[in-house]
Amino acid sequence: MTYGDYVTVLLEAKLARGELSTAKGRRTWTDAQTLHLVPYFGDRELDGIKRRDIEEWKTRLAGSVRAGRLSPHTVNGRLRVLLSTLRSAVFEYELSYDPTRGVKPLDTSTWETYTEEEPNALAVDEVPRFMAKAKELYPQHHAQLALGLTTGTIEGKMGVHA
C-alpha cells in the first residue's frame, strides 16, 4: 500500500473512532497530509519508506527554515503528523522496519519568531495586501482571517493594529 492510499484509509478510521473530533484537528491533520506529506511521500510504498527518506525531507525543509520561508515549529508540526502516520502503519500492518525510530524534530531553541525589527504586526495599510496573498495561498483560511480582522479577535495572535 502506498503512503497516499494509507492516509485515506487512516483518515476514515480516525474519523470513525473520533480521534479527529474537532474541526481544527481535522484541518491540521488533513492540511499537513494533502498539502505537504502526500505530495512528497504519497507514491511510495509504506514498507519502502526509510529513515533516510524522512531525514532527507526534513533536511530539505530545514533549508526553507534557514532561508526564513518556514518556521521550525511548522516543520515539526508536519513531522509529528508524518511520524504518527508511519507509526500507525508499522503497527497496523506489522511492518518489520520502523522508519520513525530515531527521527528527532528540528531544534527550535534559537529560533526567534518575532524580533523588534520584524514584529508580528501589520499596519492598517498592509492588511489589503496581506488578505489578497492569504486568499491566494490559503483560501481555506481566508474567511476566518477576514472575520478575525474585522472583529479584532485575532489581534492578539496576529498583532494587527487598527
Side-chain angles (χ1 to χ4, degrees):
M1 177 177 287
T2 66
Y3 181 89
D5 290 337
Y6 182 65
V7 165
T8 302
V9 170
L10 184 59
L11 176 60
E12 289 174 10
K14 283 181 169 290
L15 292 174
R17 293 187 300 247
E19 293 176 11
L20 294 172
S21 57
T22 66
K24 182 179 181 349
R26 283 188 300 277
R27 188 176 56 247
T28 299
W29 195 87
T30 56
D31 282 357
Q33 296 288 10
T34 59
L35 299 175
H36 307 288
L37 301 173
V38 170
Y40 191 86
F41 293 100
D43 293 334
R44 298 177 193 215
E45 296 293 323
L46 287 171
D47 60 356
I49 298 173
K50 304 298 180 204
R51 182 178 182 273
R52 74 176 171 278
D53 299 321
I54 298 169
E55 292 295 343
E56 286 171 7
W57 171 81
K58 195 172 75 172
T59 299
R60 196 182 92 196
L61 292 182
S64 293
V65 169
R66 283 190 307 282
R69 293 187 302 269
L70 273 178
S71 159
H73 299 288
T74 300
V75 174
N76 288 342
R78 294 175 191 169
L79 180 63
R80 275 190 299 278
V81 173
L82 174 63
L83 297 179
S84 69
T85 300
L86 290 172
R87 286 178 183 136
S88 292
V90 167
F91 179 77
E92 187 171 346
Y93 294 108
E94 299 179 7
L95 301 178
S96 60
Y97 176 75
D98 181 356
T100 68
R101 290 188 64 202
V103 175
K104 294 181 179 161
L106 294 180
D107 178 28
T108 59
S109 64
T110 60
W111 178 256
E112 287 189 33
T113 304
Y114 310 113
T115 63
E116 235 177 90
E117 296 81 25
E118 292 193 29
N120 184 28
L122 293 174
V124 172
D125 62 327
E126 294 174 313
V127 172
R129 214 170 55 251
F130 170 81
M131 289 301 293
K133 194 66 173 177
K135 186 174 186 178
E136 174 190 330
L137 296 175
Y138 309 103
Q140 71 273 28
H141 300 301
H142 186 261
Q144 182 180 7
L145 284 169
L147 180 64
L149 286 168
T150 303
T151 62
T153 57
I154 62 171
E155 184 173 344
K157 293 178 183 144
M158 301 267 317
V160 176
H161 303 297

